[in-house]
Amino acid sequence: MGLSYRAPLRDMRFVIDEVLQAPAGWSQLPGLTDLDANTAAQVLEQAAVFASEVLAPTNADGDLHGCTWSDGQVDTPPGFRAAWRAFVDAGWPALGCDPDWGGQGLPQLLNVALYEMLNAANHAWTMYPGLAHGAYECLKAHANAELQQRYLPKIVSGEWLATMCLTESHAGSDLGLLRTRALPQADGTLQVSGTKIFISGGAHDLTDNIVHLVLCRLPDAPAGTKGLSLVLVPRLLPDGTPNRVRCNGIEKKMGIKGSATCTMSFDAATGWLIGEPHRGLAAMFVMMNAARLQVALQGLGHLEIATQNALLYARERRQMRAPQRASSAHNEPADPIAAHPAMRRTLWTLQAWTEGQRVLAYWTAQLLDESERQPDLARRERAAALLPLLTPIVKAMFTEHGHTGASMALQVWGGHGYIHEVGIEQHVRDARIAMVYEGTNEIQAIDLLVRKLLPAGGRPLDLLCEALDSEAEASEQVPGLAAAAAVLQTASAGLRDATRALAVDAAVEPELPWRLADDYLRAAGLVLLGWAWLRSARVATPHQDDPWYARKLQCALFGLEWLLPDVDALLRRIISRRAALPPLPDA
C-alpha cells in the first residue's frame, strides 16, 4: 500500500555536479576544500538507502495510524521511533551543522538534497528533524554561550528535538497580537505563561527532551511585533525534572497525520531569554527562514514522488488507442496512457516542474554555503543579497506546485487515484498544508514585492535578473538554444518592467501591489524556472547522443516552450491592472 520511492540520485548529481558545478566551488570554501564529487555522491547514496528502505515504508502506515494523545503524552505512529533511532545513529541530524557543536560541517547543498529525499519518503516524519535544524540555526546565531553549550550539542546530535511556538488562537499570521507572557525572576530566568496552538512536534515519543522556542512578551513590552521576545523553554529542566509545559491535545488533521500538531500550555514554565529583550522576532526569523526552505523541500518531495509513480503507472496502464498509434499495425486493443497527448502533457509538466525546482532548491542552498563561507567579500555579499529574494519564491512556488502536481498526478490514475490504497491521495492531502504554514503563500508574495522590492524601487531584482541574463547570453551561443535564450531574456526584461511600473504606480495607488503580489510572485517563480530549464538544456545539449541527456534536454525544452510563455499573461495583468477588485459586501 502507498507509493514507492526511489531517490533520483543521477538527477541530483546532474544538478550538483554539472548544472551548478558545486564541487569546483567547494574547493574555494574554507572547511569544504577536501570535499569532492565522489565523496558527496557517497553521502547521497547512503541517504537514499535510509529514505527509500527505512523511512518510506513508514509513510502509509503513519497516515493510517496517526499520532495518539493520552493525558498530555503523545505517541507517534508505529515505525517512527525506530526510523528516528536509525537516523540519529547514522549521524544525519549533524550533516550540515558546525563541527564546533558536533556537526559534520558538510555543505547546506547536501543537507537540502537529504531533506528532499526525506520529504518525498515521509513528509510527516520529516517535520521533526526539519524544525530542529531551524532551532539550531537560531540558537547558533542568537543564544548566549551558556545556552549554546547546554542545548546545541544535543540538538545537533539528534538526542533532543525542538519546536517553534508562535501561533495563538487569536493570532495566526499577525504575530503582533500574541499574548503569552514572560515574567523575569531573581535568578535571571523567565516564567512563561500562555497557550500556543498548531505546534508541530510539541509533544512526541522520539526524544526525552524537547526544546521549545516561544515568542512572548515581557512586562514592559511595547505593543505589536516590536514587543516580542524569544524564550527557550525546555520540556525537561537542566536537573532533569519536568518543566511546567503540557500538551493539552493534538489536532485531527487533513494530512501529515504522523506529525503531532499540538496545543501547548505554559504555566509559569521556566525559560531563558534568547537574544535581546523585545528583539525576539528578529531572532525567530532565523529559524523561520530556515523553516521556509524546509517547507519548499516538502513541495519538491511531494512533486518528485508523485511524478515518478505517475510515470510508472502511465507506462503500464492501457486505455484506448492513442491518436498517433491508431493506424499502426500492432494488434493491441489499447495503448499505454503515456502515449495519449493529454497524459503526455501532464507528465511532461510534472517532470519539468520537478527538475526545474530541484535546480532552484540546490542553487539556493549553494548560495547559503557561499553566504556563510565564501572568502571573497563581493561574492559573499552577492549570495547574501540573493537569498532574501529567493526564499519567498521557492517557499510559495514549490508548495503550490507540490500540491497542484500531486493532484495532477492523481488524475493520471483516474478513479483508482481517489482510492486510499493506491497512495497518491495521501500526497494530495499531505502537500496542502505546506501552502499554509511558515507564512502563507500570500504572505510570501507580499514579503517579496511590498517589503523587499518596492521600497528600493525594485532595484534588488536587478541582481537576480543579472543571473538570468547571463545564462541567456551563454545559451544563445549553443546550437538549438538561441530561441529559448531569447524567450528567457524577454521574460527577464518583462519582469523588470513590471517591477518598475509597480514601483511608480504604487505611489499613486498604495493598495495596488498588495492586490497583485500573488501574480508577481508566480511570474518571478516562472521566470526563475525558465533560468533553471535553460541552464539544464545548455549542460545537456553537448551530450544529447546519450538517451539520458536527450531526455533532460527534452524536459528542459518542454518547460521553456510550453510553460514559460504563461508568464506573459501574468505580466500583462500586472502592468495593465485594469481588473477591479471591489470590496466584499458586509452582508
Side-chain angles (χ1 to χ4, degrees):
M1 185 175 67
L3 302 185
S4 64
Y5 175 65
R6 179 183 57 81
L9 290 174
R10 189 171 183 188
D11 298 278
M12 291 175 160
R13 290 198 62 183
F14 172 71
V15 176
I16 293 171
D17 297 349
E18 300 180 65
V19 176
L20 299 179
Q21 299 181 327
W26 294 334
S27 67
Q28 303 173 22
L29 301 182
L32 299 179
T33 53
D34 294 332
L35 179 64
D36 59 21
N38 288 335
T39 304
Q42 291 172 11
V43 172
L44 294 179
E45 287 167 6
Q46 291 303 309
V49 170
F50 175 82
S52 300
E53 298 181 11
V54 178
L55 188 55
T58 68
N59 191 43
D61 285 345
D63 180 59
L64 283 177
H65 287 87
C67 293
T68 56
W69 176 92
S70 177
D71 193 25
Q73 304 300 313
V74 174
D75 291 330
T76 55
F80 273 41
R81 290 188 69 184
W84 178 251
R85 190 72 263 154
F87 188 70
V88 171
D89 289 346
W92 293 117
L95 184 73
C97 298
D98 194 323
D100 289 344
W101 302 112
Q104 297 180 34
L106 290 173
Q108 294 304 318
L109 176 50
L110 292 185
N111 204 45
V112 160
L114 165 67
Y115 274 87
E116 179 199 329
M117 296 187 227
L118 298 180
N119 280 301
N122 189 331
H123 173 180
W125 183 93
T126 306
M127 293 286 291
Y128 299 103
L131 286 167
H133 188 81
Y136 154 80
E137 295 284 2
C138 178
L139 295 179
K140 186 162 70 80
H142 289 285
N144 62 37
E146 181 181 356
L147 290 177
Q148 288 177 340
Q149 291 289 343
R150 187 186 301 163
Y151 291 100
L152 278 178
K154 302 287 190 181
I155 292 173
V156 168
S157 69
E159 184 176 344
W160 294 347
L161 282 167
T163 72
M164 180 165 52
C165 295
L166 283 71
T167 305
E168 299 175 10
S169 59
H170 58 284
S173 299
D174 189 353
L175 297 176
L177 300 178
L178 295 180
R179 296 173 185 160
T180 297
R181 295 288 174 178
L183 297 178
Q185 303 300 297
D187 61 0
T189 64
L190 298 164
Q191 284 190 350
V192 176
S193 298
T195 300
K196 299 287 186 176
I197 66 169
F198 300 158
I199 306 306
S200 298
H204 52 73
D205 57 1
L206 303 182
T207 60
D208 293 334
N209 202 4
I210 301 173
V211 180
H212 302 289
L213 302 187
V214 185
L215 274 182
C216 50
R217 295 185 182 281
L218 294 167
D220 60 343
T225 56
K226 294 181 179 180
L228 296 177
S229 296
L230 186 61
V231 179
L232 186 156
V233 182
R235 180 165 75 173
L236 298 178
L237 294 169
D239 63 3
T241 59
N243 206 350
R244 297 175 67 87
V245 179
R246 175 183 168 83
C247 174
N248 289 340
I250 57 176
E251 302 298 336
K252 183 177 176 65
K253 306 190 298 292
M254 172 181 172
I256 57 167
K257 295 182 179 181
S259 173
T261 305
C262 305
T263 298
M264 303 297 299
S265 66
F266 300 85
D267 183 12
T270 299
W272 290 266
L273 185 69
I274 298 174
E276 299 177 22
H278 319 315
R279 298 276 298 166
L281 196 56
M284 180 58 87
F285 265 126
V286 174
M287 186 174 186
M288 291 173 70
N289 282 329
R292 284 169 179 168
L293 180 54
Q294 291 288 339
V295 173
L297 296 172
Q298 292 166 10
L300 176 57
H302 284 293
L303 196 53
E304 170 60 42
I305 192 170
T307 299
Q308 63 177 248
N309 281 271
L311 281 165
L312 289 171
Y313 181 79
R315 288 166 179 154
E316 297 172 355
R317 174 72 167 172
R318 291 181 177 272
Q319 294 281 280
M320 302 174 288
R321 298 302 305 277
Q324 81 276 29
R325 295 189 177 194
S327 60
S328 63
H330 74 76
N331 296 319
E332 295 290 342
D335 290 314
I337 62 173
H340 290 267
M343 284 294 99
R344 294 208 311 273
R345 181 170 179 173
T346 293
L347 293 167
W348 276 120
T349 298
L350 292 173
Q351 290 178 85
W353 279 353
T354 304
E355 298 194 3
Q357 288 178 189
R358 181 171 292 117
V359 173
L360 293 178
Y362 290 12
W363 182 43
T364 303
Q366 186 179 42
L367 291 171
L368 273 172
D369 289 321
E370 291 185 4
S371 72
E372 294 171 357
R373 300 174 185 257
Q374 176 57 248
D376 184 294
L377 179 60
R379 292 177 62 185
R380 188 167 71 246
E381 289 179 344
R382 174 183 176 275
L386 284 169
L387 285 167
L389 303 182
L390 287 172
T391 299
I393 296 172
V394 299
K395 189 279 177 184
M397 179 173 65
F398 286 23
T399 57
E400 182 173 319
H401 285 176
H403 176 66
T404 303
S407 182
M408 290 168 62
L410 186 151
Q411 192 81 357
V412 174
W413 276 270
H416 296 284
Y418 205 64
I419 304 301
H420 176 78
E421 286 75 13
V422 169
I424 185 62
E425 64 86 30
Q426 180 190 342
H427 291 273
V428 176
R429 289 185 288 108
D430 285 356
R432 185 59 182 87
I433 185 59
M435 297 169 67
V436 174
Y437 55 28
E438 301 313 331
T440 66
N441 287 0
E442 294 82 1
I443 287 175
Q444 302 302 320
I446 292 167
D447 176 54
L448 173 67
L449 180 61
V450 178
R451 299 192 182 118
K452 290 175 176 172
L453 291 178
L454 293 190
R459 287 184 299 277
L461 184 70
D462 291 340
L463 191 61
L464 199 56
C465 288
E466 285 174 13
L468 304 177
D469 296 342
S470 176
E471 180 56 50
E473 290 170 6
S475 295
E476 67 183 359
Q477 307 302 319
V478 177
L481 296 185
V487 171
L488 180 62
Q489 284 180 318
T490 300
S492 174
L495 189 63
R496 273 197 180 106
D497 292 343
T499 308
R500 293 189 181 112
L502 278 172
V504 172
D505 294 343
V508 179
E509 192 176 358
E511 191 194 65
L512 179 65
W514 298 76
R515 295 203 305 262
L516 294 173
D518 289 332
D519 286 336
Y520 184 89
L521 185 143
R522 289 190 179 99
L526 193 47
V527 174
L528 279 171
L529 281 176
W531 170 85
W533 291 324
L534 187 60
R535 193 176 184 92
S536 299
R538 177 167 60 85
V539 172
T541 294
H543 312 290
Q544 60 185 298
D545 289 341
D546 181 323
W548 191 86
Y549 284 99
R551 194 203 65 79
K552 282 288 178 194
L553 180 58
Q554 278 185 307
C555 185
L557 291 177
F558 174 87
L560 289 162
E561 294 168 0
W562 281 81
L563 303 180
L564 182 57
D566 289 349
V567 77
D568 293 341
L570 292 166
L571 294 177
R572 279 199 302 272
R573 185 154 66 220
I574 291 169
I575 292 174
S576 68
R577 60 184 178 84
R578 292 172 185 161
L581 187 64
L584 292 171
D586 293 334

